[in-house]
Amino acid sequence: MIKLFRIIAAATLFGIAVLAAGCGSTQEAAKITGPIWPSPPDTARVAYVRTFSSEDDFAGGLGSVVNALSGEKNRIRLTRPFDVCVADEGRIYVTDVSRGIFMFDARNRKVEVLGEKSSVDLKNPRGVAYGHKKVFISLASAGQIAVLDDEGRFLRMIGRPSQFPGAIDVVCDTARNRILIVDNKIHSVLAYSEGGDSLFAIGGRRGVEDGDLNYPQSAAVDASGNIYVVDAFNYRIQVFDPEGKFLRKFGGQGDVFGTFMRPKGIALDSHGNIYVLDALHQNYQIFNNQGELLMFVGKYSRGNDGFENPISIAIGGDDMIYVTDQLNSRVQVFRLLNAN
């Protein structure tokens, strides 16, 4: 087992540039009762908020009984959560490889199962994304992307059956009306219009050169349309422009600050900082946009201070951070502390 990072000097690193200006309110941190990073006496930058693993956790113990995708009536409980995305109005979508797709609605304190209104089978989901009142779901069994409306009704498929044999992640670039499909079996990131037209591809061959991909795991898009790809078996992050042209890279294999062993999910906060999950380090590392390490959050744990095989990370416009903690069968929620 690789030694997990220590948090010494993280506060100094995290005080760099814009993030230091927007975070670390002493008054705000004083109200936090759960784990924070870095530990005192350093200024807190990230705080644990909550955990949810079932409808009781999320909906305040309402305990409604719903139809699971299998047709059985069970309480909604995450077993193998995979991907998470943030929609709007307090809604979060979570795929569970053994249970289906769930919508957790914080505002209305309810949980729904997607698929009951769909005319196609949504079993074995992987990636999920939301944009323009549509939900995009990569289906491992079908090798296609299912598109649902805001009510969970099936609209169409993107791609032919088995066209995306390893579609592990899907990302919405709403500003450009397109989606990105991360396929780790064909070592590609594929750009499609929301209507299903092919636009361009990144990668396409397994390799180590700039622009090559080696089992990519996930992607994210910044405000300028630049594309960030977790190039997992090359142990690096590659950055491409909005048309898919290689720009830069950072990372490398290792068990020290700024390196990766099993990189998985990726997301960006409102300041442009880059968050990368690592399923072997059991944490997420935070980098500035130049790829310089700022700090990390988490360790191997069944408590609220860490993870056991984290897979996906999503960040809302309010800088709330959501992580699917797969082997703990839950989603962990954190907050980037703000001066406001």
Side-chain angles (χ1 to χ4, degrees):
M1 187 73 182
I2 289 178
K3 274 188 177 180
L4 298 174
F5 298 152
R6 297 183 62 83
I7 206 159
I8 296 172
T12 302
L13 290 167
F14 206 50
I16 298 172
V18 66
L19 193 53
C23 305
S25 166
T26 302
Q27 292 181 345
E28 186 175 31
K31 300 175 183 178
I32 302 299
T33 58
I36 57 174
W37 292 265
S39 301
D42 294 319
T43 302
R45 307 296 181 180
V46 174
Y48 164 82
V49 175
R50 67 178 304 175
T51 295
F52 62 91
S53 58
S54 72
E55 59 182 322
D56 291 330
D57 297 325
F58 201 90
L62 296 181
S64 60
V65 179
V66 298
N67 292 323
L69 292 182
S70 63
E72 299 175 357
K73 290 187 175 182
N74 293 308
R75 289 191 185 278
I76 295 175
R77 180 171 295 279
L78 297 172
T79 56
R80 294 181 62 199
F82 192 88
D83 197 15
V84 58
C85 76
V86 181
D88 52 16
E89 299 179 343
R91 292 181 298 166
I92 303 157
Y93 291 90
V94 180
T95 60
D96 188 302
V97 297
S98 60
R99 296 298 304 276
I101 309 105
F102 303 134
M103 189 275 288
F104 296 90
D105 186 340
R107 176 174 294 182
N108 296 307
R109 299 171 63 83
K110 67 179 182 179
V111 184
E112 294 182 356
V113 179
L114 271 68
E116 296 176 334
K117 300 177 183 178
S118 173
S119 58
V120 301
D121 195 345
L122 300 179
K123 68 179 181 181
N124 206 7
R126 292 296 188 270
V128 61
Y130 180 88
H132 295 145
K133 298 189 179 299
K134 293 186 286 291
V135 185
F136 300 84
I137 305 160
S138 63
L139 302 175
S141 299
Q144 296 172 285
I145 308 301
V147 186
L148 310 181
D149 70 11
D150 216 25
E151 300 298 322
R153 293 181 290 259
F154 175 75
L155 296 175
R156 60 184 174 274
M157 287 287 194
I158 294 178
R160 304 180 305 277
S162 301
Q163 183 171 347
F164 312 119
I168 197 169
D169 191 24
V170 59
V171 179
C172 276
D173 183 359
T174 53
R176 292 155 195 83
N177 301 305
R178 67 189 186 186
I179 64 169
L180 302 173
I181 303 166
V182 180
D183 193 311
N184 66 358
K185 289 188 177 179
I186 60 175
H187 311 286
S188 300
V189 175
L190 310 166
Y192 276 72
S193 72
E194 290 185 3
D197 297 318
S198 177
L199 301 175
F200 63 84
I202 296 171
R205 69 173 185 178
R206 186 180 182 186
V208 299
E209 301 300 323
D210 294 347
D212 291 344
L213 297 175
N214 190 359
Y215 289 97
Q217 292 294 304
S218 58
V221 179
D222 68 15
S224 299
N226 296 316
I227 302 165
Y228 300 72
V229 179
V230 176
D231 187 12
F233 281 14
N234 284 326
Y235 308 98
R236 65 188 180 184
I237 306 302
Q238 293 200 70
V239 186
F240 302 85
D241 75 8
E243 284 71 49
K245 180 182 177 182
F246 174 82
L247 294 176
R248 61 186 182 276
K249 62 188 177 185
F250 66 90
Q253 185 177 15
D255 60 353
V256 298
F257 288 110
T259 63
F260 309 112
M261 287 301 294
R262 196 181 295 164
K264 293 286 187 177
I266 189 169
L268 282 82
D269 66 22
S270 64
H271 303 282
N273 296 299
I274 307 159
Y275 295 57
V276 183
L277 278 177
D278 195 300
L280 198 56
H281 294 320
Q282 310 287 0
N283 64 17
Y284 57 87
Q285 298 185 72
I286 307 175
F287 301 83
N288 67 17
N289 206 254
Q290 289 70 51
E292 299 168 327
L293 180 70
L294 302 178
M295 65 173 289
F296 73 90
V297 172
K299 61 181 181 179
Y300 174 78
S301 177
R302 294 183 179 180
N304 296 330
D305 57 349
F307 314 100
E308 191 173 357
N309 195 38
I311 298 292
S312 173
I313 185 168
I315 302 176
D318 56 358
D319 284 330
M320 295 290 283
I321 303 159
Y322 303 84
V323 177
T324 54
D325 185 11
Q326 189 175 76
L327 296 186
N328 283 323
S329 301
R330 64 188 183 182
V331 173
Q332 293 280 74
V333 186
F334 306 85
R335 180 156 50 100
L336 182 63
L337 298 179
N338 252 295
N340 297 328

